[in-house]
């Protein structure tokens, strides 16, 4: 295994376990599979497509898997460029947060050509509970946008339900257990609800990245003429959270 991180110290555990720390270009030149996970679409474009990007250095027939939540348009651009170079590009954003990652139970939403996806699936299965190929390049990113649309509003509903239950004098642990088994059940309620009760607000994800994700969803909605009012409202709450530090 070859690894790279912009903050080299974050890869220390992997290096101590036997991984080789190399530059992105060195990895691209040697690897049959290259996995990336970055912060923002401009990071993805710089790492993969720009003058010093890795794509032009990858071997023909190799597979690039980008786990970044990014824009569908950029995923399509990467897919087209990769095809011209004889490389398979797979956009594969994930869901499940830090809990899913630590437990190897991420859900992976996949876009890309059939051959590249088929090659990547055995490796993706090593750290996921479910992988689904939704279509050509960009389909994984569109699916992740739908995922974030659902999560954003579900989080607001969960918080409001717990506040309501508290004010009504209900035992919130019992409320979570009961409602989690019915129509209101969700990952947010059953996994994050108990953390809220314990006042465990340690983040599993940068709120700035979630706002980025919602921005992508809202922009794609505008392009398609789709109104997303609840997502826009949730986005305002998360933007306010950033402003409050």
């Amino acid at each position: 295994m070859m690894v790279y991180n912009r903050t080299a110290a974050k890869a220390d555990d992997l290096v101590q376990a036997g991984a080789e720390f190399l530059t992105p270009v060195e990895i691209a030149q040697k690897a049959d599979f290259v996995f990336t996970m970055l912060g923002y679409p401009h990071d993805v474009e710089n790492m993969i497509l720009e003058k010093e990007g890795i794509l032009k250095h990858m071997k023909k027939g190799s597979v690039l898997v980008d786990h970044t939540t990014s824009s569908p348009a950029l995923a399509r651009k990467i897919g087209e460029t990769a095809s011209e170079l004889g490389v398979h590009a797979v956009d594969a954003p994930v869901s499940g947060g830090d809990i899913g990652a630590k437990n190897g139970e991420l859900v992976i939403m996949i876009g890309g050509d059939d051959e590249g996806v088929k090659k990547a699936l055995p490796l993706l299965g090593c750290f996921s509970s479910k992988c689904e190929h939704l279509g050509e390049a960009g389909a994984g990113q569109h699916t992740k946008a739908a995922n974030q649309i659902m999560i954003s509003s579900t989080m607001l509903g969960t918080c409001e339900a717990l506040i309501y239950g508290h004010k009504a004098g209900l035992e919130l642990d019992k409320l979570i257990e009961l409602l989690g088994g019915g129509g209101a059940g969700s990952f947010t309620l059953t996994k994050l609800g108990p953390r809220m009760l314990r006042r465990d607000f340690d983040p599993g994800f940068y709120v700035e990245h979630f706002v980025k994700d919602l921005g992508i969803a809202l922009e794609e909605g505008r392009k398609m003429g789709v109104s997303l009012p609840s997502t826009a409202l949730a986005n305002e709450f998360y933007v306010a959270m950033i402003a409050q530090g």
Side-chain angles (χ1 to χ4, degrees), residues 130-193:
K130 188 172 181 60
C131 302
E132 192 68 49
H133 185 197
L134 281 304
E136 294 299 318
Q141 298 297 349
H142 275 303
T143 307
K144 182 59 182 288
N147 182 83
Q148 303 302 69
I149 288 168
M150 294 180 68
I151 286 176
S152 64
S153 296
T154 302
M155 179 61 79
L156 294 188
T158 298
C159 292
E160 290 183 357
L162 292 178
I163 292 170
Y164 179 92
H166 172 69
K167 288 294 185 180
L170 303 177
E171 294 186 45
L172 295 185
D173 54 343
K174 291 183 178 180
L175 181 144
I176 289 173
E177 182 178 0
L178 181 63
L179 298 188
S186 69
F187 177 93
T188 301
L189 178 63
T190 58
K191 299 295 186 181
L192 302 184

Side-chain angles (χ1 to χ4, degrees), residues 27-157:
I27 293 172
Q29 291 169 337
K30 295 182 178 183
D32 295 320
F33 295 87
V34 177
F35 291 78
T36 57
M37 180 174 274
L38 302 159
Y40 296 89
H42 66 264
D43 297 318
V44 175
E45 189 158 17
N46 289 339
M47 176 64 74
I48 295 175
L49 294 177
E50 291 303 314
K51 184 177 180 180
E52 298 302 320
I54 62 175
L55 190 53
K56 63 174 66 72
H57 297 283
M58 292 181 65
K59 300 183 292 185
K60 290 187 183 299
S62 60
V63 182
L64 170 66
V65 179
D66 182 28
H67 285 309
T68 313
T69 299
S70 186
S71 76
L74 179 56
R76 289 192 295 271
K77 182 179 179 181
I78 292 171
E80 292 166 1
T81 305
S83 180
E84 293 170 359
L85 296 171
V87 174
H88 302 285
V90 177
D91 54 291
V94 303
S95 182
D98 60 329
I99 296 173
K102 291 172 183 176
N103 295 335
E105 297 178 345
L106 292 171
V107 170
I108 306 180
M109 298 148 261
I110 303 172
D113 67 271
D114 290 340
E115 184 178 352
V117 172
K118 185 177 180 180
K119 287 183 175 182
L121 279 175
L123 292 177
L124 295 175
C126 293
F127 50 90
S128 67
S129 61
K130 188 172 181 60
C131 302
E132 192 68 49
H133 185 197
L134 281 304
E136 294 299 318
Q141 298 297 349
H142 275 303
T143 307
K144 182 59 182 288
N147 182 83
Q148 303 302 69
I149 288 168
M150 294 180 68
I151 286 176
S152 64
S153 296
T154 302
M155 179 61 79
L156 294 188

